[in-house]
Amino acid sequence: MTIRVAIVDDDPLVRVGLRTVIDHAPDLEVVGEASDGVEVMEVVERVNPDVVLMDIRMPNRDGLAATRDLIDGPGETPRIVILTTFELDEYVYEALQAGATGFLLKRVPPAELLDAIRLAASGESLIFPALTRRLLEQAVVPARKKDEWVDSLTTRELEVLGYMAAGDSNQEIAAALSIGVETVKTHVTNVLGKLQVRDRIHAVIRAYETGLVRPGPDNAGDS
């Protein structure tokens, strides 16, 4: 099944480069392009992409506003992957809060770009441990009090959330905790449900915002 991709960037050379890389993949297809956050609304409505690659800094209407428009709009929302030049762009954090699936640096190698699109289309979040941790540690000011959901998490779920914040996959979490992958999936599902978020990266954001996960080189198991 072909993954349909829309590219949103005000730089035509960037759009050409992304299209060239994506269209060479047998399972991906660029179905639309836009030069700003105004055009993308019409493009998404017309071509119904699975994934939108969204530049964050654009004239007329930036990627942050466009992300909010798409998330709040009618119909099914495509997965939105933010493209940025800066690792610690404050707008990226706001876009993630608004509902974006994840973010990529524009200098990412082509193979990683393609894998990220596939991952986003499958419903997974794009959590790159080093980048995500630095972004959240710079952008997030933990709340003074933890949300009520913190007390609803079991000890095991707190452990799993810590590993999620470290960017570990289900397989890596299973190995670290000596449990089955299906058991990990159940814990992850429970964590997302209790936090009332739709994917892993938004669970990690909530964990940072409440101070449940603390800044540091390794967050696994924090509680």
Side-chain angles (χ1 to χ4, degrees):
M1 187 173 180
T2 301
I3 298 171
R4 299 163 57 81
V5 182
I7 301 170
V8 188
D9 198 293
D10 62 314
D11 188 334
L13 290 179
V14 171
R15 296 200 304 272
V16 169
L18 290 171
R19 175 182 280 275
T20 300
V21 171
I22 293 168
D23 280 346
H24 271 83
D27 58 331
L28 306 177
E29 177 187 8
V30 176
V31 294
E33 295 183 14
S35 61
D36 60 35
V38 175
E39 289 183 7
V40 68
M41 303 304 294
E42 183 275 329
V43 170
V44 167
E45 183 177 356
R46 175 168 49 86
V47 303
N48 191 29
D50 301 303
V51 176
V52 174
L53 298 180
M54 181 83 74
D55 186 19
I56 196 72
R57 295 172 180 261
M58 297 181 290
N60 300 322
R61 195 159 182 80
D62 63 25
L64 173 59
T67 295
R68 289 174 175 155
D69 290 342
L70 289 173
I71 294 295
D72 295 338
E76 186 174 351
T77 303
R79 295 283 171 169
I80 301 170
V81 177
I82 298 298
L83 297 175
T84 179
T85 305
F86 309 102
E87 294 181 11
L88 301 180
D89 191 333
E90 64 186 74
Y91 294 109
V92 173
Y93 171 65
E94 292 186 50
L96 294 176
Q97 282 190 310
T101 296
F103 72 100
L104 290 172
L105 296 179
K106 289 188 176 181
R107 64 174 181 270
V108 67
E112 290 186 24
L113 169 68
L114 299 178
D115 286 343
I117 293 172
R118 295 182 183 110
L119 195 63
S122 71
E124 296 291 332
S125 294
L126 306 180
I127 298 183
F128 303 100
L131 291 181
T132 303
R133 185 180 298 123
R134 286 203 297 272
L135 172 68
L136 295 178
E137 289 175 1
Q138 289 286 332
V140 177
V141 177
R144 292 184 179 180
K145 293 183 179 180
K146 295 180 179 179
D147 287 350
E148 293 180 0
W149 59 260
V150 174
D151 293 331
S152 73
L153 296 177
T154 66
T155 300
R156 181 63 87 189
E157 289 165 354
L158 287 168
E159 288 180 310
V160 169
L161 179 56
Y163 283 104
M164 289 164 61
D168 289 351
S169 67
N170 288 344
Q171 290 77 11
E172 290 169 332
I173 297 173
L177 297 177
S178 299
I179 57 178
V181 173
E182 291 302 317
T183 302
V184 173
K185 290 180 179 179
T186 299
H187 288 314
V188 171
T189 298
N190 291 340
V191 168
L192 298 185
K194 290 180 179 180
L195 272 60
Q196 298 183 340
V197 294
R198 69 177 189 167
D199 53 35
R200 297 167 80 106
I201 199 165
H202 293 94
V204 173
I205 289 173
R206 291 290 302 278
Y208 269 89
E209 288 177 334
T210 59
L212 184 63
V213 171
R214 299 182 296 275
D218 185 0
N219 292 310
D222 276 5
S223 60

Short mmCIF file of all heavy atoms in Angstrom, two decimals, residues 68-130:
data_model
loop_
_atom_site.label_atom_id
_atom_site.label_comp_id
_atom_site.label_asym_id
_atom_site.label_seq_id
_atom_site.Cartn_x
_atom_site.Cartn_y
_atom_site.Cartn_z
N ARG A 68 -2.06 23.41 13.83
CA ARG A 68 -3.27 23.59 14.64
C ARG A 68 -4.53 23.57 13.77
O ARG A 68 -5.54 22.97 14.13
CB ARG A 68 -3.18 24.90 15.41
CG ARG A 68 -2.17 24.88 16.55
CD ARG A 68 -2.02 26.24 17.17
NE ARG A 68 -1.15 26.22 18.35
CZ ARG A 68 -0.47 27.27 18.80
NH1 ARG A 68 -0.58 28.43 18.18
NH2 ARG A 68 0.29 27.17 19.87
N ASP A 69 -4.44 24.21 12.60
CA ASP A 69 -5.59 24.23 11.69
C ASP A 69 -5.96 22.81 11.27
O ASP A 69 -7.15 22.45 11.24
CB ASP A 69 -5.27 25.06 10.45
CG ASP A 69 -5.16 26.55 10.75
OD1 ASP A 69 -5.66 26.98 11.81
OD2 ASP A 69 -4.57 27.27 9.92
N LEU A 70 -4.96 22.00 10.92
CA LEU A 70 -5.24 20.65 10.47
C LEU A 70 -5.76 19.77 11.59
O LEU A 70 -6.69 18.98 11.40
CB LEU A 70 -3.97 20.03 9.87
CG LEU A 70 -3.52 20.60 8.51
CD1 LEU A 70 -2.15 20.03 8.12
CD2 LEU A 70 -4.54 20.29 7.43
N ILE A 71 -5.16 19.88 12.77
CA ILE A 71 -5.59 19.07 13.91
C ILE A 71 -7.03 19.40 14.31
O ILE A 71 -7.82 18.52 14.64
CB ILE A 71 -4.64 19.27 15.11
CG1 ILE A 71 -3.24 18.73 14.79
CG2 ILE A 71 -5.19 18.58 16.35
CD1 ILE A 71 -3.16 17.24 14.56
N ASP A 72 -7.36 20.69 14.26
CA ASP A 72 -8.69 21.13 14.68
C ASP A 72 -9.73 21.07 13.57
O ASP A 72 -10.91 21.30 13.81
CB ASP A 72 -8.63 22.58 15.21
CG ASP A 72 -7.80 22.69 16.48
OD1 ASP A 72 -7.64 21.67 17.16
OD2 ASP A 72 -7.29 23.80 16.75
N GLY A 73 -9.29 20.78 12.35
CA GLY A 73 -10.20 20.80 11.21
C GLY A 73 -11.08 19.57 11.14
O GLY A 73 -10.91 18.61 11.90
N PRO A 74 -12.04 19.59 10.22
CA PRO A 74 -12.96 18.46 10.07
C PRO A 74 -12.28 17.28 9.39
O PRO A 74 -11.24 17.42 8.75
CB PRO A 74 -14.06 19.04 9.16
CG PRO A 74 -13.35 20.09 8.35
CD PRO A 74 -12.32 20.68 9.27
N GLY A 75 -12.87 16.12 9.54
CA GLY A 75 -12.36 14.93 8.87
C GLY A 75 -11.14 14.34 9.54
O GLY A 75 -10.69 14.79 10.60
N GLU A 76 -10.59 13.33 8.91
CA GLU A 76 -9.44 12.63 9.47
C GLU A 76 -8.18 13.45 9.26
O GLU A 76 -7.91 13.95 8.17
CB GLU A 76 -9.29 11.26 8.80
CG GLU A 76 -8.21 10.39 9.40
CD GLU A 76 -8.19 9.00 8.81
OE1 GLU A 76 -9.12 8.67 8.05
OE2 GLU A 76 -7.24 8.25 9.09
N THR A 77 -7.38 13.60 10.32
CA THR A 77 -6.17 14.40 10.27
C THR A 77 -4.99 13.55 9.81
O THR A 77 -4.77 12.47 10.35
CB THR A 77 -5.84 14.99 11.64
OG1 THR A 77 -6.95 15.76 12.10
CG2 THR A 77 -4.60 15.88 11.57
N PRO A 78 -4.23 14.01 8.81
CA PRO A 78 -3.02 13.27 8.44
C PRO A 78 -1.98 13.36 9.54
O PRO A 78 -2.04 14.25 10.40
CB PRO A 78 -2.55 14.00 7.17
CG PRO A 78 -3.07 15.39 7.33
CD PRO A 78 -4.40 15.24 8.03
N ARG A 79 -1.05 12.46 9.52
CA ARG A 79 0.08 12.55 10.44
C ARG A 79 0.97 13.71 10.00
O ARG A 79 1.32 13.81 8.82
CB ARG A 79 0.86 11.24 10.45
CG ARG A 79 0.06 10.07 11.00
CD ARG A 79 -0.02 10.13 12.50
NE ARG A 79 -0.96 9.15 13.05
CZ ARG A 79 -1.05 8.87 14.33
NH1 ARG A 79 -0.27 9.48 15.21
NH2 ARG A 79 -1.93 7.99 14.76
N ILE A 80 1.33 14.56 10.93
CA ILE A 80 2.11 15.76 10.62
C ILE A 80 3.51 15.62 11.21
O ILE A 80 3.67 15.44 12.41
CB ILE A 80 1.44 17.02 11.17
CG1 ILE A 80 0.04 17.16 10.58
CG2 ILE A 80 2.28 18.26 10.86
CD1 ILE A 80 -0.80 18.24 11.24
N VAL A 81 4.51 15.69 10.33
CA VAL A 81 5.90 15.62 10.74
C VAL A 81 6.53 16.99 10.49
O VAL A 81 6.54 17.49 9.37
CB VAL A 81 6.68 14.54 9.96
CG1 VAL A 81 8.15 14.55 10.37
CG2 VAL A 81 6.07 13.17 10.21
N ILE A 82 7.02 17.61 11.55
CA ILE A 82 7.60 18.94 11.46
C ILE A 82 9.03 18.87 10.93
O ILE A 82 9.84 18.05 11.38
CB ILE A 82 7.59 19.62 12.84
CG1 ILE A 82 6.15 19.78 13.35
CG2 ILE A 82 8.29 20.98 12.78
CD1 ILE A 82 5.27 20.64 12.49
N LEU A 83 9.34 19.74 9.96
CA LEU A 83 10.70 19.87 9.45
C LEU A 83 11.32 21.14 10.00
O LEU A 83 10.69 22.20 9.96
CB LEU A 83 10.69 19.94 7.93
CG LEU A 83 10.16 18.71 7.18
CD1 LEU A 83 10.10 18.99 5.68
CD2 LEU A 83 11.03 17.50 7.45
N THR A 84 12.51 21.04 10.52
CA THR A 84 13.15 22.21 11.12
C THR A 84 14.65 22.20 10.87
O THR A 84 15.26 21.14 10.71
CB THR A 84 12.89 22.26 12.64
OG1 THR A 84 13.54 23.41 13.20
CG2 THR A 84 13.42 21.03 13.33
N THR A 85 15.22 23.38 10.83
CA THR A 85 16.67 23.53 10.68
C THR A 85 17.35 23.51 12.03
O THR A 85 18.52 23.15 12.15
CB THR A 85 17.00 24.85 9.96
OG1 THR A 85 16.30 24.89 8.72
CG2 THR A 85 18.49 24.97 9.68
N PHE A 86 16.59 23.87 13.08
CA PHE A 86 17.18 24.06 14.40
C PHE A 86 16.71 22.97 15.36
O PHE A 86 15.51 22.74 15.51
CB PHE A 86 16.79 25.43 14.95
CG PHE A 86 17.06 26.56 13.99
CD1 PHE A 86 16.03 27.14 13.28
CD2 PHE A 86 18.35 27.02 13.79
CE1 PHE A 86 16.26 28.17 12.38
CE2 PHE A 86 18.60 28.05 12.89
CZ PHE A 86 17.56 28.62 12.18
N GLU A 87 17.64 22.33 16.04
CA GLU A 87 17.30 21.26 16.95
C GLU A 87 16.44 21.74 18.11
O GLU A 87 15.55 21.02 18.58
CB GLU A 87 18.58 20.61 17.50
CG GLU A 87 19.40 19.89 16.45
CD GLU A 87 20.63 19.25 17.03
OE1 GLU A 87 20.74 19.19 18.27
OE2 GLU A 87 21.50 18.81 16.26
N LEU A 88 16.70 22.94 18.60
CA LEU A 88 16.01 23.43 19.79
C LEU A 88 15.05 24.55 19.44
O LEU A 88 14.94 25.54 20.17
CB LEU A 88 17.04 23.89 20.84
CG LEU A 88 18.02 22.82 21.28
CD1 LEU A 88 19.00 23.37 22.32
CD2 LEU A 88 17.30 21.61 21.85
N ASP A 89 14.36 24.41 18.33
CA ASP A 89 13.39 25.41 17.89
C ASP A 89 12.17 25.38 18.81
O ASP A 89 11.47 24.38 18.89
CB ASP A 89 12.99 25.10 16.45
CG ASP A 89 12.19 26.23 15.81
OD1 ASP A 89 11.53 26.97 16.56
OD2 ASP A 89 12.24 26.35 14.58
N GLU A 90 11.89 26.48 19.49
CA GLU A 90 10.76 26.52 20.43
C GLU A 90 9.44 26.26 19.72
O GLU A 90 8.49 25.73 20.31
CB GLU A 90 10.70 27.88 21.13
CG GLU A 90 10.45 29.04 20.19
CD GLU A 90 10.55 30.38 20.90
OE1 GLU A 90 11.67 30.80 21.21
OE2 GLU A 90 9.48 30.98 21.12
N TYR A 91 9.36 26.61 18.43
CA TYR A 91 8.13 26.38 17.69
C TYR A 91 7.86 24.89 17.48
O TYR A 91 6.71 24.47 17.33
CB TYR A 91 8.17 27.10 16.36
CG TYR A 91 8.18 28.61 16.48
CD1 TYR A 91 9.32 29.35 16.20
CD2 TYR A 91 7.04 29.29 16.91
CE1 TYR A 91 9.33 30.72 16.33
CE2 TYR A 91 7.05 30.68 17.05
CZ TYR A 91 8.20 31.39 16.76
OH TYR A 91 8.21 32.75 16.91
N VAL A 92 8.92 24.10 17.43
CA VAL A 92 8.76 22.66 17.28
C VAL A 92 8.01 22.10 18.49
O VAL A 92 7.09 21.28 18.36
CB VAL A 92 10.12 21.95 17.10
CG1 VAL A 92 9.94 20.43 17.12
CG2 VAL A 92 10.78 22.39 15.81
N TYR A 93 8.41 22.52 19.67
CA TYR A 93 7.73 22.05 20.88
C TYR A 93 6.27 22.43 20.86
O TYR A 93 5.39 21.62 21.20
CB TYR A 93 8.42 22.65 22.11
CG TYR A 93 7.67 22.39 23.39
CD1 TYR A 93 7.51 21.09 23.87
CD2 TYR A 93 7.11 23.44 24.11
CE1 TYR A 93 6.80 20.85 25.04
CE2 TYR A 93 6.41 23.21 25.28
CZ TYR A 93 6.25 21.91 25.74
OH TYR A 93 5.55 21.67 26.88
N GLU A 94 5.97 23.67 20.43
CA GLU A 94 4.57 24.10 20.36
C GLU A 94 3.80 23.27 19.34
O GLU A 94 2.62 22.95 19.55
CB GLU A 94 4.50 25.58 20.02
CG GLU A 94 5.03 26.49 21.12
CD GLU A 94 4.80 27.96 20.79
OE1 GLU A 94 3.67 28.32 20.44
OE2 GLU A 94 5.77 28.74 20.87
N ALA A 95 4.45 22.92 18.23
CA ALA A 95 3.79 22.09 17.21
C ALA A 95 3.51 20.69 17.75
O ALA A 95 2.46 20.10 17.47
CB ALA A 95 4.65 22.02 15.95
N LEU A 96 4.43 20.15 18.52
CA LEU A 96 4.22 18.85 19.13
C LEU A 96 3.04 18.92 20.10
O LEU A 96 2.20 18.02 20.16
CB LEU A 96 5.47 18.37 19.84
CG LEU A 96 6.69 18.06 18.96
CD1 LEU A 96 7.89 17.69 19.82
CD2 LEU A 96 6.38 16.95 17.98
N GLN A 97 2.99 19.99 20.89
CA GLN A 97 1.86 20.18 21.79
C GLN A 97 0.53 20.26 21.03
O GLN A 97 -0.49 19.79 21.49
CB GLN A 97 2.04 21.45 22.61
CG GLN A 97 3.00 21.34 23.78
CD GLN A 97 2.93 22.57 24.66
OE1 GLN A 97 3.01 23.69 24.17
NE2 GLN A 97 2.78 22.38 25.95
N ALA A 98 0.59 20.86 19.84
CA ALA A 98 -0.61 21.02 19.05
C ALA A 98 -1.10 19.72 18.43
O ALA A 98 -2.24 19.63 17.99
CB ALA A 98 -0.38 22.06 17.95
N GLY A 99 -0.21 18.71 18.38
CA GLY A 99 -0.63 17.42 17.86
C GLY A 99 0.23 16.82 16.77
O GLY A 99 -0.12 15.77 16.23
N ALA A 100 1.35 17.46 16.42
CA ALA A 100 2.24 16.88 15.42
C ALA A 100 2.79 15.54 15.92
O ALA A 100 2.97 15.33 17.12
CB ALA A 100 3.39 17.84 15.11
N THR A 101 3.05 14.65 14.98
CA THR A 101 3.52 13.31 15.33
C THR A 101 4.98 13.29 15.77
O THR A 101 5.39 12.46 16.56
CB THR A 101 3.34 12.37 14.12
OG1 THR A 101 1.95 12.26 13.84
CG2 THR A 101 3.91 11.00 14.37
N GLY A 102 5.77 14.22 15.25
CA GLY A 102 7.19 14.24 15.58
C GLY A 102 7.88 15.29 14.74
O GLY A 102 7.23 16.09 14.06
N PHE A 103 9.20 15.28 14.79
CA PHE A 103 9.93 16.27 14.01
C PHE A 103 11.22 15.69 13.46
O PHE A 103 11.77 14.71 13.99
CB PHE A 103 10.22 17.52 14.85
CG PHE A 103 11.26 17.34 15.93
CD1 PHE A 103 12.57 17.77 15.73
CD2 PHE A 103 10.93 16.76 17.14
CE1 PHE A 103 13.52 17.61 16.73
CE2 PHE A 103 11.87 16.60 18.15
CZ PHE A 103 13.17 17.03 17.93
N LEU A 104 11.68 16.28 12.37
CA LEU A 104 12.91 15.87 11.70
C LEU A 104 13.75 17.10 11.40
O LEU A 104 13.21 18.16 11.07
CB LEU A 104 12.62 15.16 10.38
CG LEU A 104 11.99 13.78 10.42
CD1 LEU A 104 11.61 13.37 9.00
CD2 LEU A 104 12.96 12.77 11.01
N LEU A 105 15.06 16.96 11.50
CA LEU A 105 15.95 18.01 11.02
C LEU A 105 16.04 17.92 9.50
O LEU A 105 16.04 16.83 8.93
CB LEU A 105 17.34 17.85 11.63
CG LEU A 105 17.43 18.00 13.15
CD1 LEU A 105 18.86 17.78 13.62
CD2 LEU A 105 16.92 19.37 13.60
N LYS A 106 16.13 19.06 8.84
CA LYS A 106 16.17 19.06 7.38
C LYS A 106 17.43 18.39 6.84
O LYS A 106 17.43 17.96 5.69
CB LYS A 106 16.07 20.50 6.86
CG LYS A 106 14.68 21.11 7.03
CD LYS A 106 14.58 22.45 6.32
CE LYS A 106 13.17 23.00 6.43
NZ LYS A 106 13.01 24.30 5.73
N ARG A 107 18.45 18.29 7.65
CA ARG A 107 19.68 17.66 7.18
C ARG A 107 19.70 16.15 7.42
O ARG A 107 20.75 15.51 7.26
CB ARG A 107 20.89 18.31 7.85
CG ARG A 107 20.96 18.12 9.36
CD ARG A 107 22.27 18.68 9.91
NE ARG A 107 22.40 18.50 11.34
CZ ARG A 107 21.99 19.37 12.24
NH1 ARG A 107 21.40 20.48 11.85
NH2 ARG A 107 22.16 19.14 13.53
N VAL A 108 18.58 15.56 7.79
CA VAL A 108 18.52 14.13 8.07
C VAL A 108 18.88 13.36 6.80
O VAL A 108 18.52 13.75 5.69
CB VAL A 108 17.10 13.74 8.57
CG1 VAL A 108 16.07 13.90 7.46
CG2 VAL A 108 17.08 12.35 9.12
N PRO A 109 19.61 12.24 6.91
CA PRO A 109 19.94 11.43 5.74
C PRO A 109 18.68 10.91 5.06
O PRO A 109 17.67 10.66 5.73
CB PRO A 109 20.77 10.28 6.33
CG PRO A 109 21.33 10.83 7.60
CD PRO A 109 20.27 11.75 8.13
N PRO A 110 18.72 10.73 3.74
CA PRO A 110 17.53 10.28 3.00
C PRO A 110 16.90 9.01 3.56
O PRO A 110 15.66 8.92 3.66
CB PRO A 110 18.06 10.06 1.58
CG PRO A 110 19.19 11.03 1.46
CD PRO A 110 19.83 11.05 2.82
N ALA A 111 17.70 8.03 3.92
CA ALA A 111 17.15 6.77 4.43
C ALA A 111 16.37 6.99 5.72
O ALA A 111 15.31 6.38 5.93
CB ALA A 111 18.27 5.76 4.67
N GLU A 112 16.85 7.89 6.59
CA GLU A 112 16.15 8.17 7.83
C GLU A 112 14.86 8.93 7.57
O GLU A 112 13.85 8.74 8.26
CB GLU A 112 17.05 8.96 8.78
CG GLU A 112 18.21 8.15 9.34
CD GLU A 112 18.99 8.92 10.39
OE1 GLU A 112 18.42 9.85 11.02
OE2 GLU A 112 20.17 8.61 10.58
N LEU A 113 14.87 9.81 6.57
CA LEU A 113 13.66 10.52 6.19
C LEU A 113 12.57 9.54 5.76
O LEU A 113 11.43 9.62 6.22
CB LEU A 113 13.96 11.49 5.05
CG LEU A 113 12.73 12.13 4.37
CD1 LEU A 113 12.01 13.08 5.32
CD2 LEU A 113 13.14 12.86 3.10
N LEU A 114 12.93 8.60 4.90
CA LEU A 114 11.96 7.62 4.40
C LEU A 114 11.44 6.75 5.54
O LEU A 114 10.23 6.47 5.62
CB LEU A 114 12.60 6.76 3.31
CG LEU A 114 13.08 7.52 2.06
CD1 LEU A 114 13.73 6.57 1.08
CD2 LEU A 114 11.94 8.28 1.41
N ASP A 115 12.34 6.31 6.41
CA ASP A 115 11.91 5.48 7.55
C ASP A 115 10.97 6.26 8.47
O ASP A 115 10.01 5.71 9.01
CB ASP A 115 13.13 5.00 8.34
CG ASP A 115 13.89 3.90 7.61
OD1 ASP A 115 13.32 3.30 6.68
OD2 ASP A 115 15.05 3.64 7.97
N ALA A 116 11.26 7.56 8.65
CA ALA A 116 10.42 8.38 9.52
C ALA A 116 9.02 8.55 8.94
O ALA A 116 8.03 8.51 9.67
CB ALA A 116 11.07 9.75 9.72
N ILE A 117 8.93 8.71 7.63
CA ILE A 117 7.62 8.83 6.98
C ILE A 117 6.83 7.54 7.17
O ILE A 117 5.64 7.56 7.49
CB ILE A 117 7.78 9.16 5.49
CG1 ILE A 117 8.37 10.56 5.32
CG2 ILE A 117 6.43 9.05 4.76
CD1 ILE A 117 8.75 10.90 3.89
N ARG A 118 7.49 6.41 6.98
CA ARG A 118 6.81 5.12 7.16
C ARG A 118 6.34 4.95 8.60
O ARG A 118 5.24 4.46 8.86
CB ARG A 118 7.76 3.99 6.76
CG ARG A 118 8.15 3.98 5.29
CD ARG A 118 9.05 2.81 4.96
NE ARG A 118 9.48 2.85 3.57
CZ ARG A 118 10.72 3.12 3.17
NH1 ARG A 118 11.66 3.36 4.08
NH2 ARG A 118 11.02 3.14 1.88
N LEU A 119 7.21 5.34 9.53
CA LEU A 119 6.87 5.21 10.94
C LEU A 119 5.67 6.08 11.29
O LEU A 119 4.74 5.64 11.98
CB LEU A 119 8.08 5.61 11.79
CG LEU A 119 8.06 5.23 13.27
CD1 LEU A 119 8.05 3.72 13.44
CD2 LEU A 119 9.29 5.81 13.97
N ALA A 120 5.68 7.32 10.80
CA ALA A 120 4.56 8.22 11.06
C ALA A 120 3.27 7.68 10.47
O ALA A 120 2.22 7.71 11.10
CB ALA A 120 4.87 9.61 10.49
N ALA A 121 3.35 7.15 9.25
CA ALA A 121 2.15 6.64 8.58
C ALA A 121 1.57 5.44 9.32
O ALA A 121 0.36 5.22 9.31
CB ALA A 121 2.48 6.25 7.15
N SER A 122 2.43 4.69 10.00
CA SER A 122 1.97 3.51 10.72
C SER A 122 1.32 3.86 12.05
O SER A 122 0.78 2.99 12.75
CB SER A 122 3.13 2.55 10.97
OG SER A 122 4.03 3.07 11.93
N GLY A 123 1.39 5.14 12.42
CA GLY A 123 0.77 5.58 13.67
C GLY A 123 1.74 5.73 14.83
O GLY A 123 1.33 6.07 15.94
N GLU A 124 3.02 5.51 14.56
CA GLU A 124 4.03 5.64 15.62
C GLU A 124 4.52 7.08 15.71
O GLU A 124 4.47 7.84 14.74
CB GLU A 124 5.22 4.72 15.34
CG GLU A 124 4.87 3.24 15.38
CD GLU A 124 4.52 2.75 16.77
OE1 GLU A 124 5.02 3.34 17.74
OE2 GLU A 124 3.72 1.81 16.88
N SER A 125 5.01 7.46 16.89
CA SER A 125 5.62 8.77 17.07
C SER A 125 7.08 8.71 16.66
O SER A 125 7.71 7.66 16.69
CB SER A 125 5.53 9.21 18.52
OG SER A 125 4.20 9.42 18.90
N LEU A 126 7.61 9.86 16.29
CA LEU A 126 9.02 9.96 15.97
C LEU A 126 9.76 10.47 17.20
O LEU A 126 9.77 11.66 17.49
CB LEU A 126 9.24 10.91 14.80
CG LEU A 126 8.44 10.60 13.53
CD1 LEU A 126 8.74 11.62 12.44
CD2 LEU A 126 8.71 9.20 13.04
N ILE A 127 10.32 9.56 17.97
CA ILE A 127 11.07 9.95 19.16
C ILE A 127 12.53 9.61 18.93
O ILE A 127 12.91 8.45 18.87
CB ILE A 127 10.56 9.23 20.41
CG1 ILE A 127 9.11 9.60 20.69
CG2 ILE A 127 11.42 9.59 21.62
CD1 ILE A 127 8.55 8.99 21.96
N PHE A 128 13.34 10.64 18.76
CA PHE A 128 14.77 10.46 18.62
C PHE A 128 15.39 10.90 19.95
O PHE A 128 15.36 12.09 20.28
CB PHE A 128 15.31 11.31 17.47
CG PHE A 128 14.63 11.00 16.17
CD1 PHE A 128 13.62 11.81 15.68
CD2 PHE A 128 14.97 9.87 15.44
CE1 PHE A 128 12.98 11.52 14.50
CE2 PHE A 128 14.33 9.56 14.25
CZ PHE A 128 13.34 10.39 13.77
N PRO A 129 15.89 9.96 20.73
CA PRO A 129 16.22 10.24 22.13
C PRO A 129 17.01 11.52 22.37
O PRO A 129 16.61 12.35 23.17
CB PRO A 129 17.02 8.99 22.53
CG PRO A 129 16.47 7.91 21.66
CD PRO A 129 16.16 8.57 20.35
N ALA A 130 18.13 11.70 21.67
CA ALA A 130 18.97 12.85 21.95
C ALA A 130 18.27 14.15 21.58
O ALA A 130 18.23 15.11 22.36
CB ALA A 130 20.30 12.73 21.20
#
